[in-house]
Amino acid sequence: MPDFLPLTDRSALRADCANCFALCCVALNFVASADFAIDKSAGDPCPNLKEDYRCGVHSELREIGFRGCTVYDCFGAGQHISQQTFGGRSWRGDRSTASEMFASFGVMKELHELLWYLVEARERVAALAGGAVAASVSGAEIETLLAETERLTRGTPDALLALDVDEHWARVNAALVRVSEMVRADALAGREPHPRAGRGADLMGAKLRAADLRGANLRGAYLIAADLRGAELCGADLIGADLRDADLSGADLSAALFLTGPQVASAQGDASTRLPAGLEHPRHWAAS
């Protein structure tokens, strides 16, 4: 079994396809759309999947209609399920494990995504400790949630499938909301937030070029195809925000809160777009 970093290290919370049995290419369903060229039922291998678990069209996915594949990231759940939960037993080599493996993968992906947010929350709380903003969540609380979530990832397939993921999400999210309030208050420094910002705001196609969105609450906001060129998003909470085809060229997201790789990959940007440490410019941005 390969050696893996602890899950409190964000480097372990990224897909490692070389150590995964292509779970996202089998367990998930596709619906023919702008993101997928075909329909595929959950549990059926993608027709582009090779016997060695590699994608046969990986280098041309976007060109042939599989843009959704280039955006998806399991936060490292695939290799965890493949190599640790199931000890290197593949759904292809042992079909009796297939349905249990695929269902467990969905649960693990949720836990790994929570760990992604919690690791950042820990860093943010530590950075704000002793500052002017009143602490509404402690580092100890975040550490407890981190430890508990990581412990859940070590469960057996039966334990994973019995887990009430929604209940755990709700408990963790309550702490993340308080971290968000602290970070956004610090970013605003007494200023009023942008008048169009707000949780779940409908900003599809919005003209927000060079907008000052520092400290904005954009949780779950619809920013599809929004013009965010040159916008300032430091301290903005972007958890769950839909950034599909948003133009982030020249935007500053270097200190944006709870931003993920899939969100970045679904957007457009350029070499001048500033991203948080640990997130990279997607390859397709070079051609945009």
Side-chain angles (χ1 to χ4, degrees):
M1 183 185 302
D3 292 328
F4 292 104
L5 291 168
L7 295 178
T8 50
D9 184 324
R10 267 191 164 184
S11 297
L13 299 173
R14 295 183 178 85
D16 177 6
C17 298
N19 283 303
C20 177
F21 297 126
L23 296 185
C24 63
C25 305
V26 187
L28 306 181
N29 69 298
F30 302 163
V31 177
S33 62
D35 290 325
F36 296 102
I38 60 172
D39 289 323
K40 185 193 82 66
S41 299
D44 292 340
C46 174
N48 297 314
L49 184 64
K50 299 167 67 175
E51 287 297 315
D52 61 0
Y53 304 106
R54 292 189 300 171
C55 174
V57 293
H58 181 73
S59 63
E60 52 183 334
L61 283 168
R62 296 183 72 87
E63 291 74 19
I64 64 174
F66 288 89
R67 184 176 69 166
C69 297
T70 69
V71 171
Y72 182 80
D73 191 305
C74 68
F75 295 92
Q79 65 261 26
H80 192 135
I81 287 289
S82 297
Q83 302 298 337
Q84 295 176 270
T85 310
F86 283 84
R89 289 181 294 126
S90 167
W91 54 269
R92 183 171 273 160
D94 182 359
R95 291 295 295 182
S96 66
T97 71
S99 60
E100 192 176 45
M101 178 177 277
F102 300 156
S104 299
F105 171 62
V107 176
M108 188 67 73
K109 191 264 185 185
E110 296 289 315
L111 294 175
H112 275 229
E113 185 173 351
L114 279 177
L115 287 168
W116 177 270
Y117 299 133
L118 283 167
V119 170
E120 180 175 358
R122 177 177 61 184
E123 296 168 354
R124 296 289 190 145
V125 170
L128 290 172
V133 177
S136 57
V137 60
S138 69
E141 182 179 352
I142 297 299
E143 289 291 353
T144 297
L145 289 169
L146 260 172
E148 181 181 353
T149 305
E150 186 173 26
R151 177 183 60 78
L152 291 173
T153 68
R154 297 195 293 269
T156 64
D158 286 344
L160 288 169
L161 296 179
L163 176 65
D164 187 340
V165 181
D166 290 340
E167 187 276 335
H168 188 64
W169 253 98
R171 288 199 301 111
V172 172
N173 188 57
L176 297 179
V177 167
R178 285 181 281 134
V179 172
S180 172
E181 291 168 349
M182 292 169 59
V183 171
R184 289 187 291 106
D186 184 66
L188 285 168
R191 294 177 295 103
E192 289 297 317
H194 192 283
R196 298 188 67 183
R199 183 170 185 170
D202 184 353
L203 295 169
M204 290 190 287
K207 306 302 182 184
L208 293 166
R209 186 169 186 174
D212 185 351
L213 291 164
R214 289 175 294 173
N217 185 356
L218 292 170
R219 283 182 153 241
Y222 296 95
L223 288 157
I224 301 168
D227 183 359
L228 290 163
R229 289 175 292 172
E232 294 279 350
L233 288 139
C234 292
D237 186 344
L238 291 169
I239 197 168
D242 193 336
L243 291 168
R244 283 178 293 170
D245 294 321
D247 192 344
L248 302 176
S249 300
D252 186 357
L253 297 97
S254 59
L257 182 62
F258 301 141
L259 185 65
T260 68
Q263 286 173 301
V264 172
S266 72
Q268 299 296 326
D270 62 15
S272 65
T273 305
R274 298 180 62 191
L275 297 176
L279 292 180
E280 300 177 353
H281 287 194
R283 284 180 293 179
H284 68 269
W285 280 13
S288 62

